[in-house]
Amino acid sequence: MLIPLTPLHVGRHPTSDPRARLICHKDTWAFLLEQTSRHQHFRLPDRITDLEDGRIETFVSGRSLLAVLVTTREVLDDHGPDTDMVTWALASAVYSRTHLAIENATLNRPDDSEVTTIVLDDRPCRPVQGSAA
């Protein structure tokens, strides 16, 4: 069951930066932009960094995270006979991972991190650029 988040879930950690680090494949980023760019609260990040294996890294605001959750949830809720199943599957993955990362960050932050990291990638795990291998 997908539980909607409230605005209180985003940026709730007292030392948190009101943004999240997002790592995903370029195709997933393109999908995310296609779905959320028209939302009134989505803001395009200042910088998008290319990583290896076709991935990108960026930082999105809490406001933009809410726009991601709202727009992907709308795709899931509008599941009707004309719904494109690829769009629905991508929206489900983005919503679930984003929701889980934000929910977990409100409970505890791994390694006392001040920024929540959301990874939208189903490929086998590999060290994230900038972390110890």
Side-chain angles (χ1 to χ4, degrees):
M1 178 177 167
L2 299 174
I3 302 168
L5 289 175
T6 67
L8 296 176
H9 284 91
V10 180
R12 197 168 185 165
H13 191 271
T15 61
S16 71
D17 188 342
R19 61 187 179 136
R21 177 182 182 210
L22 177 66
I23 299 172
C24 63
H25 191 273
K26 290 178 183 180
D27 291 342
T28 304
W29 178 245
F31 171 79
L32 197 147
L33 288 177
E34 290 165 3
Q35 298 302 311
T36 60
S37 63
R38 293 179 305 274
H39 192 279
Q40 65 180 347
H41 295 291
F42 182 79
R43 300 294 180 262
L44 193 61
D46 293 333
R47 184 180 62 192
I48 301 166
T49 305
D50 285 321
L51 301 177
E52 59 188 41
D53 296 332
R55 296 176 302 145
I56 62 98
E57 173 189 58
T58 193
F59 290 84
V60 293
S61 68
R63 182 177 178 178
S64 290
L65 279 177
L66 287 171
V68 168
L69 289 168
V70 167
T71 55
T72 54
R73 182 63 194 225
E74 286 174 352
V75 171
L76 300 176
D77 289 345
D78 291 341
H79 182 63
D82 295 332
T83 302
D84 174 34
M85 292 309 295
V86 173
T87 300
W88 189 91
L90 288 168
S92 178
V94 169
Y95 180 89
S96 297
R97 295 265 176 77
T98 305
H99 181 276
L100 183 63
I102 294 170
E103 188 173 66
N104 286 340
T106 63
L107 302 174
N108 62 342
R109 287 187 184 271
D111 304 322
D112 294 325
S113 173
E114 291 187 15
V115 176
T116 298
T117 297
I118 301 169
V119 180
L120 303 175
D121 193 344
D122 289 329
R123 295 176 295 174
C125 293
R126 64 188 137 293
V128 175
Q129 183 175 349
S131 67

